[in-house]
Amino acid sequence: MTDLTPDLVPLWTLLLALGILLYVLLDGFDLGVGILYGFAPDAASRTLVMNSIAPVWDGNETWLVLAGLALMAAFPLAFAILLPAMYFPIIVMLLALVFRGVAFEFRYKDAAHRTFWDYAFCYGSAVATFAQGIVVGAYIQGFKIDGRQFVGSSFDCFSLFSLFTGVALLFGYGLLGTGWLILKTEGTLQDWARHMGRRCLVGVAIALVVVSLWTPATDAAIARRWFSLPDLPLLAPIPVITALLVMWEWRSLGKRSSEVAPFVTAVGIFVLTYAGIAISLWPMIVPHRYSLWEAASSTSTQVFLLVGTVFLLPIIFMYTAWSYWVFRGKVRAEIGYEGHLT
Amino acid sequence: MTVSALFLSRLQFVWVIAWHILLPALTVGLASYIAVLEGVSLVTHRDLYFRLSNFWTRIFAVSFGMGVVSGITMPFQIGTNWSRFSDATANVLSPLLAYEGLMAFFLEAAFLGVLLFGRKLVPPWAHFTAALLVAAGTLFSTFWILATNSWMQTPAGYQLINGRFFPKDWLQIVFSPSFPYRLAHTVVAFFITTAFVVLAVSAHHLRHNRFAEEGRTMMKMGLGLLTVLVPLQIVIGDLHGENTLRYQPAKLAAIEGHWVSGTQVPLILFALPDETAETNRASLEVHDLGSLILRHHANGFVKGLKDWPRDQRPPVAIPFFAFRTMVGLGSLMLALVVVSWWLRARGRLFTSSLFLRTCEWAAPIGFLAVLAGWFTTEVGRQPWTVYGLLRTADSVSPSLTTGNVALSLCGYVLAYVTMFWFGIRQMYRMALKGPAQPSSEPHPVEAGIPERPVHALPRTPPETPAIESRS
């Protein structure tokens, strides 16, 4: 690379990070709602729970594809190493998402088999979430690499740590899901969501503490990053603010007047956790092995894709925002959404 | 071939893509058909076209939704199972795939919602524009995917550094030598596939004396399109074949079943290719016709498979038979079109029970031809992923074991069988029900793109009283 060519790696890092974060937050809450669906008290509330994500879930899922394609286009070496290294979690996640999507449609269409599709929706959501949690844990731990390829076993990604992060993410998405349900529902159903939210929050808090101790204890580089002296005061606010947010979340879940805070605070907890992981691994995209710059595609590739992305992405953002705006407000069983628009 | 991680990865890719390709084969054609119906309805103000457009939009929604869901797994599979291919080609191919994803998302996000649920919300011209843009979007998606595939077939505009491909000229990469022919051949095939589905649905309703007006209109539109496209497709196919002869001669030799190079080669109508003995058994051939078709004169030289070392030849039987299946189906299509004109001249087009029944049975003919064509071109590309440059055997992820892929393949089989079983049944039922729906709005929650702006809830009331609203 000569000095004349621009360094687009920071920009693509930002785009990829944004794509993954958006996916985690958006599909996170609807996967969480899917998991909670299995615990809903009765048929009427199950329908409401389902309807709260009906207009948005498929749009949320598409961010997974965009993030995957961004990884492939901007950091192909990471794509080529990470995907086979996490072969089973990724495939299980994809198939669970497919199953869940199909269940969503046929729950309405195929009234005779509704219970089967109900289960498919709930378990599909849970399995996809668990698989994503394993991906996170396995990613933090790193992989066996030779040259430009993953050479370990397809089962390496299943460790005690990654199983733990898998379970942790069930609570995490559950928390996001309850936040969403509090936003979208009322009355006894909302009370139920608050109750479930506190249960999830306990799981999230435990997971955050355990992961925050586990990773520096087993990974010297991560320990140095967080506990070495120049960085310590700079990075300390992250765990401190996270702890404060967890407490705030507990409070707002118990307070009937706060309907927005539980969701927003849960998003805050996720953003800080995400930032924490990014700080732990920076500037590596393949942990312990390849940095963002080493894994990046050629400048020509990045420029070629950027040209269309800067044009299409803002429009996709605007539409996404608009569709959430259209479907704002509480879901109610007795009327459709026509009232908003006509 | 022995059962290995490589073989099973190929099988898995075939399984996923062969199911997936059926959906664009329908949605690309339907999107354009709906745009035409919307346009005609806008100009003529006739309720008939309105009803037809709504009818096909409902089916389109299911098909499109399944296409999105089954397509999500595709880019990931390139990483999980073909990591060495990804590493070698991503600098060139990934933007093409990414553009496909971006444009599909863009189209879905911006215009599909309007098409599916916006009838009452936007003026008719805007609804027509949305239909037009959805159709354009499906064609753009086709454009990028086929650009990717064509580059793998006939790579151009790259430079090879340490076994990895880097972009040199994007225009050459996107418009690689086989791309224009492949794009034309595929899009026309998709349109033909849709036209046969429309024809079959119209024939079914005509035969049962229902929706007479709709049935006749659909049949006339379907046959009109086929009258133009089926002969055109034969011409495009011939040009595509010549392009293959020029850039992928080994594939063409396998398709034709030519083992020995020479002039005045025969056209082999049928044979049983024997790859170990390097010859054909039970061969039925026409003298000189092979040279005549491929080189346009009887003394034209055509290279035979024996001129390539064994490890650079594609398997012969699959492209050989798949190609004959495709051509055979194409001939049947042409025969059906000719018969339809003969019946029309005698005024019996809508009444001949035998013809209507045949049309019904012809519903899957386009899908089968698309699959046959796909097998011809993809198996014919072997043993390469990037033709002549990167072997399929060197493309697979090194970490995978046979057991790993066997397990994942089982998962894919289970998921896709479930999805397609219910999805196809759903579309079949909608098609049999016919364009009856008096409402101008599609039923809510139709497919992967459900209840966009309006209708988020099913119309049936819930089983128990709803929780009281506070607002």
Side-chain angles (χ1 to χ4, degrees), chain A residues 127-267:
Chain A
V127 169
T129 303
F130 184 62
Q132 284 179 14
I134 288 178
V135 166
V136 175
Y139 180 68
I140 293 172
Q141 287 194 312
F143 311 100
K144 193 176 164 196
I145 294 156
D146 182 28
R148 303 176 63 86
Q149 293 291 330
F150 168 71
V151 292
S153 146
S154 297
F155 296 100
D156 285 357
C157 55
F158 300 102
S159 64
L160 198 59
F161 181 72
S162 71
L163 293 176
F164 179 80
T165 51
V167 175
L169 199 64
L170 287 169
F171 285 102
Y173 281 178
L175 184 66
L176 277 175
T178 52
W180 179 255
L181 284 176
I182 290 166
L183 265 177
K184 303 298 284 185
T185 64
E186 306 158 294
T188 50
L189 186 57
Q190 195 193 65
D191 290 344
W192 170 79
R194 290 180 185 280
H195 172 68
M196 295 302 285
R198 279 196 160 176
R199 287 186 176 187
C200 290
L201 185 62
V202 172
V204 168
I206 293 170
L208 285 174
V209 172
V210 170
V211 171
S212 303
L213 297 176
W214 196 333
T215 44
T218 51
D219 189 320
I222 293 178
R224 259 200 311 281
R225 173 66 43 86
W226 289 91
F227 300 120
S228 66
L229 205 54
D231 292 338
L232 183 63
L234 284 171
L235 296 178
I238 290 177
V240 173
I241 296 173
T242 309
L244 289 174
L245 282 180
V246 169
M247 285 189 269
W248 180 255
E249 177 81 330
W250 181 265
R251 228 175 79 95
S252 59
L253 280 170
K255 211 165 68 180
R256 279 204 177 172
S257 58
S258 68
E259 294 201 318
V260 184
F263 185 67
V264 174
T265 313
V267 167

Side-chain angles (χ1 to χ4, degrees), chain B residues 159-173:
Chain B
Q159 57 189 133
L160 203 51
I161 304 170
N162 294 331
R164 290 160 62 216
F165 299 89
F166 286 88
K168 221 167 91 182
D169 182 339
W170 284 106
L171 213 59
Q172 282 184 35
I173 289 169

Side-chain angles (χ1 to χ4, degrees), chain A residues 44 51 54 58 66 73 76 80 84 87 105 109 148-149 154 186 297-298 300-301 304 308 319 327 332 335 337-338, chain B residues 79 81 83-84 87 90-91 94 99 105 109 164 170 404 408 426 446-448 451-453 455-457 464 469-470:
Chain A
N51 284 331
D58 65 319
L66 289 188
Y87 189 74
E105 303 308 324
K109 290 274 165 58
R148 303 176 63 86
Q149 293 291 330
S154 297
E186 306 158 294
S297 55
S298 72
S300 168
T301 307
F304 182 68
Y319 174 81
F327 291 105
R332 276 169 286 160
I335 60 153
Y337 274 91
E338 292 98 319
Chain B
N81 291 69
S83 67
R84 278 188 288 178
D87 182 42
N91 278 294
S94 61
Y99 269 124
F105 195 9
R164 290 160 62 216
W170 284 106
N404 291 164
S408 62
Q426 187 62 39
E446 290 296 0
E451 64 296 291
R452 267 280 142 70
H455 298 307
L457 300 170
T464 47
S469 146
R470 249 186 281 171

Side-chain angles (χ1 to χ4, degrees), chain B residues 35-288:
Chain B
V36 169
L37 289 169
E38 284 290 319
V40 175
S41 143
L42 189 68
V43 173
T44 62
H45 298 288
R46 281 184 60 194
D47 192 54
L48 165 71
Y49 294 102
F50 208 72
R51 291 198 302 273
L52 283 179
S53 171
N54 283 339
F55 170 62
W56 286 109
T57 303
R58 286 199 293 277
I59 294 174
F60 174 79
V62 176
S63 170
F64 191 92
M66 287 170 69
V68 170
V69 174
S70 66
I72 285 179
T73 57
M74 304 287 306
F76 290 96
Q77 193 168 202
I78 296 172
T80 52
N81 291 69
W82 304 99
S83 67
R84 278 188 288 178
F85 171 82
S86 303
D87 182 42
T89 63
N91 278 294
V92 171
L93 290 183
S94 61
L96 312 190
L97 287 169
Y99 269 124
E100 197 277 335
L102 271 173
M103 285 196 175
F105 195 9
F106 174 72
L107 131 93
E108 172 192 335
F111 303 110
L112 194 70
V114 180
L115 178 66
L116 295 187
F117 306 106
R119 179 80 80 194
K120 284 178 185 159
L121 304 175
V122 296
W125 63 265
H127 199 252
F128 168 61
T129 310
L132 214 56
L133 288 169
V134 168
T138 60
L139 290 171
F140 272 122
S141 277
T142 314
F143 177 95
W144 288 110
I145 282 300
L146 290 178
T148 310
N149 182 272
S150 298
W151 188 88
M152 290 164 67
Q153 303 272 2
T154 52
Y158 64 89
Q159 57 189 133
L160 203 51
I161 304 170
N162 294 331
R164 290 160 62 216
F165 299 89
F166 286 88
K168 221 167 91 182
D169 182 339
W170 284 106
L171 213 59
Q172 282 184 35
I173 289 169
V174 175
F175 295 92
S176 64
S178 64
F179 176 59
Y181 300 94
R182 192 181 314 280
L183 182 66
H185 198 46
T186 309
V187 170
V188 172
F190 286 179
F191 280 20
I192 288 175
T193 302
T194 307
F196 271 104
V197 171
V198 171
L199 189 67
V201 172
S202 69
H204 176 83
H205 292 304
L206 284 173
R207 202 163 65 79
H208 290 87
N209 294 317
R210 288 182 310 200
F211 312 115
E213 194 189 12
E214 287 92 339
R216 282 199 292 272
T217 307
M218 285 195 282
M219 179 161 277
K220 275 192 273 190
M221 290 179 97
L223 283 173
L225 188 71
L226 289 172
T227 306
V228 178
L229 290 188
V230 172
L232 179 68
Q233 181 72 323
I234 292 169
V235 175
I236 296 172
D238 181 56
L239 293 172
H240 193 7
E242 276 176 45
N243 180 266
T244 306
L245 176 65
R246 187 165 161 203
Y247 291 97
Q248 298 178 298
K251 180 200 277 187
L252 196 96
I255 287 172
E256 296 289 335
H258 291 148
W259 292 97
V260 188
S261 303
T263 56
Q264 298 183 320
V265 295
L267 179 74
I268 298 163
L269 298 177
F270 181 83
L272 298 172
D274 183 337
E275 287 178 45
T276 26
E278 300 183 311
T279 185
N280 294 328
R281 301 190 190 288
S283 165
L284 175 69
E285 34 193 73
V286 183
H287 288 295
D288 300 352

